[in-house]
Structures are given as structure tokens and as C-alpha cells.
């Protein structure tokens, strides 16, 4: 039995992760700013799986103090959080230098500083217990610098992938700590974010299919996974190594 904390659980990937993990027997700690959505999700999950414990709390991940407080409250109230999925994210953005700093800063604060606070809070809990599983939701856009509205978003996703890798490397040198760190690079998975971000929709999969791939990777405790594997596994390798002019056409 695993207790999984998911941030950004009020819609899209986070909400579907909650549904699929509950179906696999996980208890859940769910947070986001829209608590009415979380309450609806809790009711739906408990109706389908009456034995599951589903706790919900309001959390804005840009409020540092709240991130630490809420994570520790969940840990205490649920007798231990085993896994944290750093999922909350924002897709707002504008090309750099055209007056869109507010949108880019909001994305940077949510996706990078917010994720840093979540990793800090999760690792505090895991280090104290000497075990745990940290899952960071990056993006295929992290593979290279991206143009226009995605520039800042892609930079935040590359940043958190490096953050996760740094923690993973440190944990390798600490055999007394049984802490796994997984970085997930989703491709295009249908969610509320796709309605807000300007992006082409080729290779888009439905939420359930996309999240099934994420759940399989998480449950295996992989170091990293591009999801869905097709076409993103080979495409990710191509994106990393091909000239930027070609990458631009592929994405
Ligand atoms: N869908 C894709 O194709 C795709 C691809 C690559 C990576 N991702 C990543 O997957 C993650 C989930 O995104 P999604 O696609 O499922 O989009 P989504 O449907 O828009 O969900 C975003 C979630 O993040 C939460 N969130 C946003 N700002 C927050 C804040 N300041 N504090 C707390 N929660 C906040 C939202 O909840 P509230 O608004 O209720 O707070 C919502 O639950 C993101 O990190 C995204 O970058 C998605």
C-alpha cells in the first residue's frame, strides 16, 4: 500500500493520475488551488473505491510556506507519505522581449520555484524516514530551447529535470537512504493546459492513455521516461541531437 501526494490534482494529468493510482490501491493526498474540483474528485474516487483514503487540501505552490506546511500536514495526518508527484504546472508564456514578462514570470515561479519548494518539502520527509519516491513531471519541451510562447515554459521544465537529476545523483551516493527519483517527460497529453497554450496537436493522446504511460513508468520506479514511448522516445533522442532548424520542424 502506497500513499501518493499529487500537486495540481484538480485537472488534467494530476486528476487522472489520482484516478488510476486509486484503482491500483494507492491512498491519496491531493492538492491544488481549486478545492471544489478536488472535493468532486475525492467523491468520485471514493465512490468507485470505498476502501481508499483520499485527503484533499488547498495549495498554491507559489506560496513557499504553504508548500512545506501542507506536505508535512499530509505526512502526519496520513501516517506517512511514500511518494510525491511534483505535477502542478502553468503553461502561460510569451516570446522574450515583447512585453510578456508577467506571464513568463508566473510560469517560472510556478514551474521552477514552486517545484523547488515541493522537492525540498518532499525530500525533508523522505530523508527523515530514509525512504520515498520523488516524481517530477517535466516535459518533452525540456529536450531543447523552444521558441515563442514556449521559451520560458521549456526552460523551467529543463530546470526541474536537472533538479531531479541532481537529487538522484546525490541519493546514489547514500545507500542508507532508499529514495528513488523519477523524471517524467510527457509529450502532448490532452488537458486544460492544451486549451491555453499555443501548440500544434500532432501526436496528442487522450488523458487516460497518456496517464496510463506515466503510471506504468512511476510504478516501475524508472529514472526517467518519455511518455507515451511512441513517438517521444525516438523523437526525444532526435530533438537532443539534431540541428535546431530540424528540431523546430519536428515539434
Ligand atoms: N498536457 C501535456 O501535454 C503536458 C506535456 C508536458 C508536461 N505537462 C505537465 O504536466 C503537468 C500537469 O499539467 P496538465 O497538462 O494536466 O495541465 P492542467 O490540466 O492545466 O493542470 C495543471 C494543474 O496544475 C495546477 N496548478 C497550476 N498552478 C498552480 C499553483 N500556483 N499552485 C497549485 N497548483 C497549480 C492546477 O490546479 P489549480 O488551478 O486548481 O491550482 C491544475 O491542477 C504540468 O506540470 C505540465 O507542465 C503536460
Amino acid at each position: 500500500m502506497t500513499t501518493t501526494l499529487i500537486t495540481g490534482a484538480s485537472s488534467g494529468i494530476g486528476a487522472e493520475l489520482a484516478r488510476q493510482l486509486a484503482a491500483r490501491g494507492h491512498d491519496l493526498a491531493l492538492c491544488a488551488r481549486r478545492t471544489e474540483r478536488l472535493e468532486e474528485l475525492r467523491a468520485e474516487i471514493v465512490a468507485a473505491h470505498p476502501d481508499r483514503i483520499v485527503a484533499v487540501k488547498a495549495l498554491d505552490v507559489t506560496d513557499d510556506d504553504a508548500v512545506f506546511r501542507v506536505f508535512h500536514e499530509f505526512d502526519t495526518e496520513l501516517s506517512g507519505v511514500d511518494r510525491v508527484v511534483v505535477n502542478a504546472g502553468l503553461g502561460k508564456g510569451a516570446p522574450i522581449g515583447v512585453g510578456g514578462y508577467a506571464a513568463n514570470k508566473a510560469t517560472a515561479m510556478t514551474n521552477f520555484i514552486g517545484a523547488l519548494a515541493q522537492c525540498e518539502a518532499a525530500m525533508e520527509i523522505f530523508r527523515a524516514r530514509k525512504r520515498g519516491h520523488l516524481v517530477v513531471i517535466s516535459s518533452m519541451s525540456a529536450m531543447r530551447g523552444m521558441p515563442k510562447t514556449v521559451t520560458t515554459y521549456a526552460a523551467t521544465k529543463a530546470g526541474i529535470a536537472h533538479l531531479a537529476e541532481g537529487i538522484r545523483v546525490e541519493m546514489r551516493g547514500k545507500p542508507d537512504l532508499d529514495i528513488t527519483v523519477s523524471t517524467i517527460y510527457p509529450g502532448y497529453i490532452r488537458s486544460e493546459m492544451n486549451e491555453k497554450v499555443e501548440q500544434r496537436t500532432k501526436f496528442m493522446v487522450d488523458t487516460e492513455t497518456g496517464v496510463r504511460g506515466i503510471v506504468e513508468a512511476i510504478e516501475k520506479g524508472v529514472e526517467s521516461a518519455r511518455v507515451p514511448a511512441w513517438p517521444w522516445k525516438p523523437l526525444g533522442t532526435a530533438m537532443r541531437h539534431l540541428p535546431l532548424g530540424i528540431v523546430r520542424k519536428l515539434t
Side-chain angles (χ1 to χ4, degrees):
M1 188 100 65
T2 301
T3 298
T4 298
L5 189 163
I6 305 170
T7 65
S10 60
S11 67
I13 290 173
E16 183 59 22
L17 258 180
R19 291 187 188 94
Q20 293 192 19
L21 289 176
R24 287 177 175 238
H26 294 229
D27 290 335
L28 298 167
L30 307 178
C31 47
R33 292 166 302 180
R34 291 171 294 175
T35 49
E36 69 291 348
R37 295 279 203 99
L38 295 177
E39 294 292 355
E40 284 168 23
L41 182 61
R42 167 162 62 181
E44 177 197 324
I45 291 173
V46 171
H49 311 285
D51 293 340
R52 295 281 59 78
I53 294 169
V54 183
V56 304
K57 285 184 192 290
L59 177 63
D60 182 337
V61 298
T62 63
D63 179 344
D64 298 342
D65 293 343
V67 171
F68 287 90
R69 176 176 48 75
V70 165
F71 277 35
H72 282 281
E73 281 174 5
F74 273 138
D75 189 53
T76 304
E77 292 165 16
L78 298 174
S79 305
V81 166
D82 305 298
R83 176 185 284 153
V84 170
V85 185
V86 178
N87 171 70
L90 194 61
K92 282 205 288 189
I96 303 296
V98 300
Y101 177 61
N104 288 332
K105 183 182 176 189
T107 293
M109 296 307 285
T110 304
N111 294 6
F112 188 76
I113 304 296
L116 173 61
Q118 293 166 70
C119 290
E120 294 264 9
M123 288 300 293
E124 272 182 9
I125 291 166
F126 297 159
R127 281 180 195 266
R129 196 165 294 122
K130 297 190 183 299
R131 64 178 174 80
H133 186 187
L134 178 66
V135 180
V136 170
I137 305 295
S138 176
S139 164
M140 285 302 300
S141 67
M143 297 292 152
R144 291 298 278 279
M146 293 284 151
K148 300 182 187 175
T149 57
V150 193
T151 301
T152 302
Y153 176 82
T156 65
K157 292 299 182 178
I160 62 169
H162 263 60
L163 188 65
E165 187 170 82
I167 302 167
R168 183 183 307 121
V169 169
E170 186 187 339
M171 290 305 113
R172 277 201 188 161
K174 297 198 182 299
D176 54 319
L177 299 180
D178 181 15
I179 298 175
T180 303
V181 183
S182 300
T183 311
I184 306 297
Y185 298 90
Y188 296 142
I189 297 174
R190 183 66 68 194
S191 76
E192 283 186 10
M193 190 175 285
N194 310 141
E195 297 160 8
K196 299 171 201 155
V197 182
E198 181 195 311
Q199 67 180 22
R200 286 173 241 169
T201 55
K202 68 181 167 190
F203 302 139
M204 180 78 74
V205 295
D206 64 85
T207 320
E208 197 183 325
T209 303
V211 170
R212 202 176 306 123
I214 294 176
V215 167
E216 279 164 18
I218 291 175
E219 290 281 70
K220 283 185 199 148
V222 297
E223 291 197 347
S224 76
R226 299 164 187 170
V227 180
W230 174 259
W232 298 107
K233 210 169 163 185
L235 208 46
T237 305
M239 285 168 75
R240 280 233 196 266
H241 299 288
L242 287 172
L244 272 180
I246 299 175
V247 172
R248 195 163 178 267
K249 288 187 184 131
L250 285 173
T251 52

